[in-house]
Amino acid sequence: MKILQLRTYTILFFFLFICLLSLSNAKAQSVLSTSQQEADQIDTRVCLGDNISAALKTIRSSSSDSQNREVLFCLLQAKKKFDTLSELTTEQQQQAKTIFSLTLQTRYKLKQYAQVIEEGKAFLSKGNMGKEASIAYFYVTLSLYETKQELLASYMDINSIFALLTVKQQRTLRTILINNDLKKHRPMNAFSYLEKEPGVLIKDAGAKVLDVIQAIDSLDDIRELLSTYQDSTIIDSLKLRYANLLLQSNKKEEGKEVLSQINVTALYGMEQRNYYRLRLYSLRDPSKEAKIGVLLPLSTPSLRNLVNQTLNGLEQAMQDLAKDGKKWTLVIRDTSLPKYRHRLSREAKKEKIARHMHSLVQQLVEGEGVLAIVGPLRRDFTKALATSAQEYHVPIISFSLTENIGKDSDFLFRFQSKQTLQAETMVNYAFDYLHAKRFVLFSPSDEQSMAVTKAFGKQVEARGGTIVGVAYINPKDRDFQNYFASFTGGYRRVGWQEKKELLYLRERVKPIVDFDAIFIPVSARTTYSLIAFRNLFNADNTWLLGTSKLNTKRTQTFKNHVKLRFIDTFPYSAIPVYLHDFYTDYWKKYSFSAEQSEPTSYTIYAYESLKILNRLYQDGATTPSELKEALLNLKNMPVLTGSASYIGNGEIMTSVHVLETKGQKILFVFPPNKKE
């Protein structure tokens, strides 16, 4: 009997297994056939709005654009069905809103940002409330952010919007809104996005609060937050920022008092480091010997000459200051990176440089207590200093050739020739003194030369002149025949009969020179080749106008009749009266050195930078922040080669002059700028 029952149960179990297997295969076949149809991926009921949850599930699981386009097609079909109905029931209205939200989400996944913005704004303008309005605001904001447009102001309470979004959506939206306000210097508004209500932060505010606090630059705003919050985890961070602002405002005693109230162990790692930095800063005694940090690539062989020229200028400035009884100390650090066995990627090298430069600034500020830093020479190393200069509130004067490199930092300055300003000044000189109106431009294709050429052309147009032609050249080019032929028509197309006659006569078409001057922001070597081709095409009566790149020893060999003018702060070879003492002392000190070389722009700018810092220090700027403010307000300070002024974008400039070659010397012509 038991055996019979066992057989019966076995047969029943087998029968059930076969049924389940059949159902599973049927379902698999159904899914397979559905995926093969382009417009029917979602059940037809979804397109009619009868199964919204199925559409939502499909959207979340879809990963390809083709699937998203199919979903969008189906949703638009459903929306079209609702649009044809004259009246909608409450349930249908809700379904229509849900379909609209799904449509925005799908369009955003397909990067149809313009449609999301247009449809979302239209929906929100009707005063719709609830979850669908929050989702619409969310995707419109994301689309505006992606297309770098002004974000949309919300008519709803922002916390009400956050409450109806998922946690991930909340985090994304908060980040966008906060970054937007920080970019527009509205830190208090950014702070509000991290609050449930005044005095209470959201649960996952995290390190974002610290970023916002660091952006607050008003003592009143910090006081307001300190009076609002009771939570010690944020109070100490606010006090640290408050102390920082007080010390920057030269309220040292108040700053020290606030620092003494802070619980250091409650601060994050980065904040703790800032705390100790501020403690050192607050304890600094201005009456002690002042220190200046120096950052140079001391162990980089390819830059050895520039390093020596810079060090010579700094050393001579120190010697002059010592004669006047001024106590200064230079603290020198090497910016050269260690050699690596394997080649680093661009990003890896950039990161290495950033960490290295940050470490050097930390050593100079925290370890040595320097008031300012001069150097480095290279662009990438200077760029890496911007964040460190801001963090440690120490002014840095770089000698990089890249213009406007400090435009995004109040503490990063550049003291070098500004070739775009040279170009503009040269145009004014050409118009006022050479009576030139029509110009040809020769420009290397590198970023700096293009910027100089653009500035020259813009100033020509502003003065009512004409650009006859522009040639973008390789600095290594030595053959400029085709360029001059193009500008002068010296090798224009001719018919076969005329060509035969020209060959018989051994003549070429006479060039037509319809320009007065040629702008050449190139080296002396390239200029030498340009002069030869200019003369070949009967353009030897036109002027050659250059920049400080021509203020070199090679240019001295050019003959007097080449009609060449260029601009710099001082002549390379001839010694004007105001440089006599400097050159005399320089030759006495370095004429017997194995590394001896004539003073260059790096020597002059290094020398003058220390003189400027010393003058500002003697006038009362005895802290890094005060020196920074003094540099920002620098105007017509007398220096070795004229007068120095801050002209914005982190640029410190000295007077520029027009120079010429004469008798194998570079001579001063006169200041071309009537405002000087």
Side-chain angles (χ1 to χ4, degrees):
M1 186 67 180
K2 291 182 179 180
I3 296 173
L4 182 61
Q5 288 179 347
L6 181 59
R7 288 180 178 176
T8 303
Y9 289 146
T10 304
I11 292 170
L12 287 172
F13 176 80
F14 183 77
F15 178 77
L16 288 172
F17 176 78
I18 294 298
C19 291
L20 289 172
L21 185 61
S22 300
L23 288 172
S24 177
N25 289 335
K27 186 176 181 180
Q29 289 295 326
S30 175
V31 171
L32 183 61
S33 61
T34 303
S35 64
Q36 293 174 350
Q37 298 179 19
E38 182 177 358
D40 297 327
Q41 184 174 4
I42 304 174
D43 193 287
T44 309
R45 291 174 302 164
V46 177
C47 296
L48 298 175
D50 294 335
N51 193 352
I52 302 301
S53 60
L56 182 59
K57 184 177 180 181
T58 306
I59 290 173
R60 288 173 177 169
S61 62
S62 62
S63 57
S64 64
D65 284 352
S66 60
Q67 287 179 327
N68 287 324
R69 279 192 289 270
E70 292 166 4
V71 171
L72 180 61
F73 169 79
C74 201
L75 289 169
L76 292 176
Q77 291 296 106
K79 184 177 180 298
K80 191 182 296 183
K81 294 286 184 181
F82 283 112
D83 291 340
T84 59
L85 299 176
S86 57
E87 293 185 5
L88 297 177
T89 64
T90 304
E91 184 181 356
Q92 288 174 331
Q93 289 178 8
Q94 185 58 43
Q95 289 178 347
K97 288 181 180 180
T98 306
I99 287 174
F100 170 75
S101 299
L102 295 173
T103 303
L104 283 188
Q105 183 177 354
T106 310
R107 285 196 185 282
Y108 179 78
K109 292 179 73 173
L110 289 168
K111 298 183 180 181
Q112 297 178 1
Y113 302 132
Q115 292 94 323
V116 173
I117 295 169
E118 181 182 355
E119 295 175 10
K121 283 184 175 181
F123 181 79
L124 293 171
S125 65
K126 297 176 183 178
N128 290 296
M129 305 290 285
K131 183 177 180 179
E132 288 73 26
S134 297
I135 293 175
Y137 178 79
F138 173 74
Y139 282 109
V140 169
T141 301
L142 262 63
S143 299
L144 290 170
Y145 183 77
E146 291 286 353
T147 54
K148 299 181 180 179
Q149 300 182 51
E150 186 71 23
L151 299 189
L152 190 65
S154 173
Y155 64 90
M156 297 171 61
D157 175 59
I158 193 65
N159 286 323
S160 299
I161 292 176
F162 285 137
L164 296 171
L165 298 175
T166 65
V167 174
K168 185 177 180 180
Q169 289 173 336
Q170 290 178 31
R171 192 179 298 114
T172 302
L173 183 58
R174 283 186 203 277
T175 301
I176 289 175
L177 295 175
I178 288 171
N179 290 343
N180 180 63
D181 278 327
L182 290 181
K183 186 177 180 181
K184 295 186 175 182
H185 307 290
R186 299 185 303 217
M188 291 298 285
N189 199 40
F191 196 92
S192 67
Y193 295 126
L194 296 168
E195 295 179 307
K196 286 183 180 179
E197 57 186 71
V200 181
L201 291 175
I202 61 174
K203 185 177 180 180
D204 58 344
K208 201 66 180 175
V209 177
L210 304 181
D211 294 337
V212 176
I213 289 175
Q214 288 301 314
I216 300 175
D217 54 9
S218 167
L219 288 168
D220 291 335
D221 288 341
I222 295 291
R223 290 192 195 102
E224 179 185 340
L225 292 175
L226 282 170
S227 64
T228 303
Y229 280 85
Q230 303 298 323
D231 187 352
S232 60
T233 57
I234 189 174
I235 286 290
D236 289 303
S237 298
L238 288 168
K239 284 183 178 179
L240 182 64
R241 181 58 179 164
Y242 190 44
N244 197 347
L245 293 175
L246 287 170
L247 291 171
Q248 285 186 52
S249 304
N250 206 27
K251 299 178 180 179
K252 294 186 178 179
E253 294 307 317
E254 294 180 56
K256 289 179 183 179
E257 176 63 26
V258 174
L259 281 172
S260 67
Q261 300 170 6
I262 295 175
N263 178 11
V264 185
T265 58
L267 300 175
Y268 284 87
M270 178 68 74
E271 287 187 305
Q272 287 183 7
R273 190 171 68 187
N274 289 340
Y275 167 81
Y276 289 115
R277 176 180 59 80
L278 288 176
R279 281 290 302 273
L280 288 170
Y281 176 72
S282 67
L283 297 172
R284 182 180 291 126
D285 185 357
S287 64
K288 291 184 178 180
E289 188 178 66
K291 294 181 179 180
I292 297 292
V294 180
L295 294 174
L296 292 172
L298 303 175
S299 54
T300 303
S302 60
L303 298 175
R304 183 178 301 162
N305 287 336
L306 295 183
V307 169
N308 287 330
Q309 293 160 18
T310 306
L311 287 174
N312 290 348
L314 293 173
E315 190 173 351
Q316 188 162 346
M318 290 288 291
Q319 184 181 12
D320 291 349
L321 291 173
K323 289 178 183 177
D324 298 333
K326 307 297 190 304
K327 291 185 177 181
W328 286 90
T329 298
L330 295 183
V331 184
I332 304 175
R333 293 289 183 271
D334 188 3
T335 61
S336 303
L337 287 175
K339 292 184 178 181
Y340 295 94
R341 293 182 179 179
H342 56 280
R343 186 182 181 89
L344 296 175
S345 67
R346 181 178 298 179
E347 288 302 317
K349 187 175 182 180
K350 185 177 179 181
E351 186 179 345
K352 292 276 186 186
I353 291 173
R355 288 204 300 266
H356 181 54
M357 299 306 288
H358 186 277
S359 174
L360 293 178
V361 173
Q362 182 182 9
Q363 293 173 30
L364 291 173
V365 176
E366 295 182 356
E368 301 291 345
V370 300
L371 296 173
I373 296 173
V374 295
L377 308 180
R378 290 172 53 178
R379 174 179 60 179
D380 46 357
F381 286 80
T382 299
K383 282 185 174 181
L385 282 175
T387 304
S388 300
Q390 203 77 26
E391 179 184 341
Y392 287 96
H393 290 88
V394 58
I396 296 175
I397 301 178
S398 169
F399 304 124
S400 168
L401 295 177
T402 303
E403 298 182 13
N404 303 327
I405 199 168
K407 64 180 180 180
D408 297 324
S409 172
D410 293 336
F411 287 86
L412 182 58
F413 301 87
R414 189 187 80 101
F415 193 26
Q416 260 287 1
S417 59
K418 187 173 177 66
Q419 293 202 34
T420 52
L421 182 61
Q422 290 179 22
E424 294 169 4
T425 307
M426 182 57 85
V427 171
N428 294 333
Y429 170 75
F431 270 83
D432 296 339
Y433 299 100
L434 304 181
H435 308 293
K437 304 288 185 183
R438 296 168 64 81
F439 300 84
V440 166
L441 314 181
F442 276 85
S443 173
S445 54
D446 61 277
E447 182 179 349
Q448 185 179 355
S449 298
M450 296 278 280
V452 174
T453 305
K454 184 178 179 180
F456 188 95
K458 189 175 181 180
Q459 186 66 12
V460 167
E461 293 176 355
R463 292 294 302 265
T466 305
I467 303 298
V468 175
V470 180
Y472 297 106
I473 63 175
N474 187 319
K476 296 181 180 180
D477 285 347
R478 295 295 174 263
D479 185 351
F480 302 102
Q481 175 175 291
N482 291 335
Y483 297 114
F484 277 100
S486 173
F487 297 145
T488 65
Y491 288 104
R492 62 177 172 81
R493 288 182 175 274
V494 296
W496 67 271
Q497 187 66 35
E498 187 178 0
K499 184 176 181 181
K500 185 177 180 181
E501 293 176 3
L502 290 172
L503 288 172
Y504 177 75
L505 296 173
R506 301 296 184 191
E507 293 180 358
R508 62 180 174 84
V509 179
K510 186 177 181 180
I512 301 172
V513 180
D514 58 351
F515 48 90
D516 308 311
I518 305 171
F519 180 58
I520 48 171
V522 297
S523 66
R525 185 177 180 183
T526 304
T527 299
Y528 187 81
S529 300
L530 279 167
I531 291 172
F533 282 96
R534 180 198 63 168
N535 298 343
L536 176 64
F537 283 82
N538 298 344
D540 45 316
N541 286 325
T542 60
W543 286 94
L544 291 171
L545 310 176
T547 62
S548 57
K549 291 182 179 181
L550 293 180
N551 193 18
T552 64
K553 183 181 291 187
R554 187 182 180 92
T555 309
Q556 295 174 222
T557 62
F558 290 177
K559 295 180 181 179
N560 301 336
H561 62 272
V562 297
K563 300 187 75 171
L564 175 67
R565 294 287 187 271
F566 49 96
I567 279 189
D568 207 348
T569 55
F570 68 98
Y572 175 79
S573 58
I575 308 174
V577 174
Y578 55 81
L579 287 176
H580 271 167
D581 292 340
F582 172 81
Y583 269 74
T584 300
D585 291 342
Y586 186 91
W587 282 323
K588 282 182 181 178
K589 189 172 184 61
Y590 300 109
S591 60
F592 299 104
S593 170
E595 301 289 348
Q596 189 273 336
S597 62
E598 292 190 38
T600 64
S601 62
Y602 287 92
T603 312
I604 299 292
Y605 286 122
Y607 179 92
E608 291 180 337
S609 63
L610 280 195
K611 287 284 191 164
I612 290 172
L613 290 172
N614 175 70
R615 174 71 179 274
L616 296 176
Y617 184 83
Q618 300 305 323
D619 289 345
T622 58
T623 67
S625 293
E626 290 170 349
L627 279 174
K628 181 263 294 186
E629 290 299 327
L631 287 170
L632 290 173
N633 293 292
L634 187 67
K635 188 174 183 180
N636 296 326
M637 176 180 285
V639 290
L640 188 64
T641 55
S643 60
S645 300
Y646 178 74
I647 61 174
N649 287 336
E651 298 286 301
I652 299 174
M653 269 294 297
T654 53
S655 311
V656 292
H657 307 284
V658 176
L659 307 174
E660 67 175 344
T661 59
K662 194 170 185 179
Q664 292 192 344
K665 288 185 178 181
I666 297 175
L667 299 178
F668 167 83
V669 179
F670 52 78
N673 194 338
K674 295 179 180 179
K675 295 181 180 180
E676 291 184 3

